[in-house]
Amino acid sequence: RKQQTQENKNRQQPEIYVRITLGNVILRTKISLSKNVCPSWNEDLIFVVAESFEGQLVLSVEDKVAPNKDELLGKCIIPLQDVEKRVCFSTPIGKWYSLEKEVVSEDGNNKVSKLNNKIHLRLSLDGGYHVLDELTHYSSDLK
């Protein structure tokens, strides 16, 4: 406990970021520049998704409390079927998502608890992009 208390004293401000996982692909935002109780990000994270849209986004808000140590502040799971499919290139409609956190109860069992925290996201699935329609030499999504 002393070490944890010492780490907390050395911390100047929270270093909060968002990690999003889709299948085996993980992307994360930069650390929020707003160092208050309402962190914000204005970043686009782009995943390539197959047409069936059967996966889910696992979004977690985390605080970097020490080197190689991150604390989960809350997470939510968003099925791709619930994400807006855009045809035109207008700005997606924003939506609030509730964050949850798994906590250990006194009897040692894990349970999910709803938090009063929410995150505002603009999610969309943009159709009409087919990697295989492009020549390999000019492909914009070739690894």
Side-chain angles (χ1 to χ4, degrees), residues 57-108:
L57 292 170
V58 179
L59 182 139
S60 60
V61 179
E62 301 181 20
D63 184 8
K64 188 170 192 62
V65 293
N68 300 321
K69 185 176 179 190
D70 301 333
E71 179 183 329
L72 177 67
L73 301 177
K75 77 175 189 176
C76 67
I77 297 173
I78 306 165
L80 288 179
Q81 293 95 356
D82 296 349
V83 176
E84 172 191 358
K85 293 165 185 63
R86 288 192 311 162
V87 180
C88 62
F89 290 104
S90 60
T91 302
I93 297 170
K95 183 176 176 184
W96 288 97
Y97 294 89
S98 296
L99 297 174
E100 298 176 340
K101 187 172 183 179
E102 194 172 279
V103 292
V104 178
S105 60
E106 291 178 11
D107 61 0

Side-chain angles (χ1 to χ4, degrees), residues 34 43 45 49 76 95 101 109 113 122-123 135-136 140:
S34 56
E43 296 185 39
L45 300 180
V49 181
C76 67
K95 183 176 176 184
K101 187 172 183 179
N109 293 326
S113 92
R122 287 190 303 257
L123 300 174
L135 294 173
T136 306
S140 60

Side-chain angles (χ1 to χ4, degrees), residues 22 25 27 45-51 53 80 125 129 131 141 143:
L22 178 65
V25 178
L27 298 178
L45 300 180
I46 299 172
F47 292 89
V48 177
V49 181
E51 187 76 32
F53 305 129
L80 288 179
L125 293 170
Y129 181 73
V131 175
D141 193 27
K143 287 189 176 185

Side-chain angles (χ1 to χ4, degrees), residues 10-16 32-36 63-64:
N10 292 338
R11 281 191 76 197
Q12 302 262 331
Q13 297 175 342
E15 296 183 12
I16 301 173
S32 173
L33 295 177
S34 56
K35 304 295 183 184
N36 55 28
D63 184 8
K64 188 170 192 62

